[in-house]
Each structure stands twice: as structure tokens, then as C-alpha cells.
Amino acid sequence: MNLPIQLHVQHSGLEKGIPIVFLNSLGTDLNMWNQQVAQLSSSYRMIQMDTRGHGQSAASRGPYSIDLLCEDVIHTLDFLGVPKAYFCGISMGGMMALNLSILYPSRVEKVVAANTAAIIGHESAWLERANLVRMQGMGPVVAGAAGRWFTSQFTDDHVDQVNVMLAQLAQTPSEGYAACCEALSKADLREKVASISVPVCIVAGEFDPVTTVSDGQFLMEKISGSRLEVLPASHLSNVENPQQFSEILSRFF
């Protein structure tokens, strides 16, 4: 049973209408979407939320599961009186958005699933990382994050922006991060995504080493009527290509 916990939620944009709910990636917080919010606030109602164990949301003791993280989202919508939403998630958040479409299709209007996959990485690697941060804190993960998240060109040209994202990672509670690693270690939607019936737009990063264009193509082939957009970016494509990413949201939603 998912017991209530404190979740940090932020509202912006229009006061009425179907909202866009933004779901963050592993090791970031709701501020990763600030550029999309700034670009789209005149046209949409928007809800940003910190996933359990991230940002200012509570980090209850693990293990977590993708289903549990999705329950948090539905409980939040219930609390806010939102019957249905657009969802935009990236990486772990993208997998959550797809899973919401499987578990709660009546609550989902459309989905943008960015830089994600039906299964991300390998179970053993996620469990090793969970153990690492519980023993040593976030330092070892922060050290290699820029290379996973951004192209080298973006890292060189946008040092301040990259440092802001790395600060989000460094400030993520180690238990929350570790428990989400455990959730990802067990998450496998490969046999389930074909049941998705809501409109889905998949966004992939051309240079993403974590969730590849091939992962995006797999989703597109499995999800009837879905589309695939490829941006010239690495793993955090909404940060590296904010304008193009926001234009995709605007066209699709």
C-alpha cells in the first residue's frame, strides 16, 4: 500500500484546462523543466512535481517501484482535483509516463516520453549504483554525470547550465536516489507497452548513450500510432535543446 508522503508540486501557466504534468529524470528535480515552463506558460496549465526521493519531495525508505512512483502521481492529481492530464516525462520520468498510460489510461490524455526505454540498463548495474550511493553518497555519481547527460559540445559551451544540473544531482537524497535505482532495476515494460492506447510521442537524443534512438524505435514499433522525434542532443534533451523540445510539446499537446 502506498502510504501518503509529502510531495513537492509547483503550478504555473493557465489556471484552467488540461494540465501538462512534468516528471523528472533520476537525480534531478522539477526545475529541470523551467525552460519549457517559461516557453509554454502562456498557452498551458502546468504542474511540475518532484518524484518521491528527489528535490523537496520526501525520501521514504526503499524499495520503490515504478508502480509506486506512478501511484504518487495519481494521488497528487486526486488531491488537486485533476481528472485527466497530459504527461511529459524524461528518462525515469518517461518510463513513469508510459506506465501511467498502462495502469491508468483514463487519467492520461497524451504522453511525451523522452529519452527513455521499455527497459533501462541492467538490473545488476542499478543495484550496484544503489549500494554505491548508500555507502559513499552522491559524489561518485555526480563525477560522471555530465558525460552521460550532455554532449561534450554542450558541456563546453554551457558550463553554468551544466553545473546547475549537477547541483541538482548532488543535492538529491542518497536514499531517494538509491531507492529509485532499485525501482529501475525491476522495471520492464517490454511486454506491456503494446497495450498503450493513448497518443504517444517519443523523443530520443541522437547522441544519447543511456537510452538510445534504437530504444525509441522499439517503443514506436510497439505502441500503435505513436511517433518518434529525434533531437541533436544527449540524455537530457529538454535541457540541451529546449526550444525544439518545447515546440514538440506545443505541436503534440
Side-chain angles (χ1 to χ4, degrees):
M1 180 180 178
N2 182 7
L3 297 175
I5 64 165
Q6 181 180 349
L7 295 170
H8 181 224
V9 179
Q10 205 162 277
H11 302 259
S12 56
L14 303 181
E15 294 184 6
K16 296 182 179 180
I18 298 175
I20 303 174
V21 176
F22 291 99
L23 304 173
N24 59 278
S25 63
L26 179 68
T28 64
D29 63 32
L30 57 74
N31 291 298
M32 76 171 304
W33 300 108
N34 285 350
Q35 292 183 90
Q36 279 68 56
V37 169
Q39 290 160 353
L40 300 172
S41 61
S42 63
S43 302
Y44 295 92
R45 178 184 178 191
M46 286 174 283
I47 299 172
Q48 297 161 267
M49 60 181 293
D50 287 332
T51 299
R52 179 187 292 238
H54 287 66
Q56 297 180 49
S57 288
S60 62
R61 184 107 189 128
Y64 299 175
S65 67
I66 290 295
D67 287 1
L68 175 68
L69 300 179
C70 289
E71 283 181 42
D72 286 341
V73 177
I74 295 301
H75 288 172
T76 300
L77 296 186
D78 289 344
F79 180 79
L80 297 173
V82 174
K84 206 166 191 179
Y86 300 117
F87 290 93
C88 175
I90 192 165
S91 192
M92 178 179 73
M95 181 177 267
M96 288 168 60
L98 293 173
N99 200 40
L100 283 161
S101 303
I102 296 165
L103 298 177
Y104 309 98
S106 66
R107 308 299 295 272
V108 180
E109 185 73 15
K110 292 183 179 182
V111 163
V112 169
N115 301 86
T116 195
I119 184 170
I120 302 175
H122 301 284
E123 181 178 9
S124 59
W126 286 121
L127 295 178
E128 287 172 10
R129 194 185 298 188
N131 186 56
L132 176 67
V133 298
R134 284 194 174 112
M135 294 180 64
Q136 299 184 31
M138 296 301 295
V141 176
V142 174
R148 294 191 302 272
W149 284 357
F150 305 111
T151 62
S152 57
Q153 187 67 54
F154 184 83
T155 302
D156 291 342
D157 294 345
H158 300 84
V159 174
D160 291 345
Q161 205 167 351
V162 171
N163 286 339
V164 166
M165 298 305 300
L166 294 179
Q168 288 183 26
L169 180 59
Q171 291 161 14
T172 302
S174 56
E175 177 56 35
Y177 185 94
C180 283
C181 287
E182 290 169 340
L184 288 167
S185 77
K186 302 292 186 185
D188 186 350
L189 304 183
R190 287 175 293 182
E191 299 302 318
K192 300 177 182 178
V193 291
S195 70
I196 294 175
S197 58
V198 304
V200 175
C201 177
I202 300 140
V203 179
E206 182 181 358
F207 308 110
D208 187 348
V210 182
T211 52
T212 63
V213 173
S214 294
D215 289 321
Q217 289 170 335
F218 175 89
L219 290 171
M220 182 182 66
E221 290 165 5
K222 290 287 186 179
I223 302 171
S224 178
S226 63
R227 67 181 72 176
L228 175 64
E229 303 264 5
V230 180
L231 294 179
S234 187
H235 191 54
L236 297 189
S237 61
N238 73 304
V239 178
E240 189 159 353
N241 290 94
Q243 186 64 42
Q244 290 172 275
F245 195 99
S246 295
E247 288 170 0
I248 290 170
L249 296 188
S250 187
R251 285 198 306 270
F252 189 63
F253 291 154

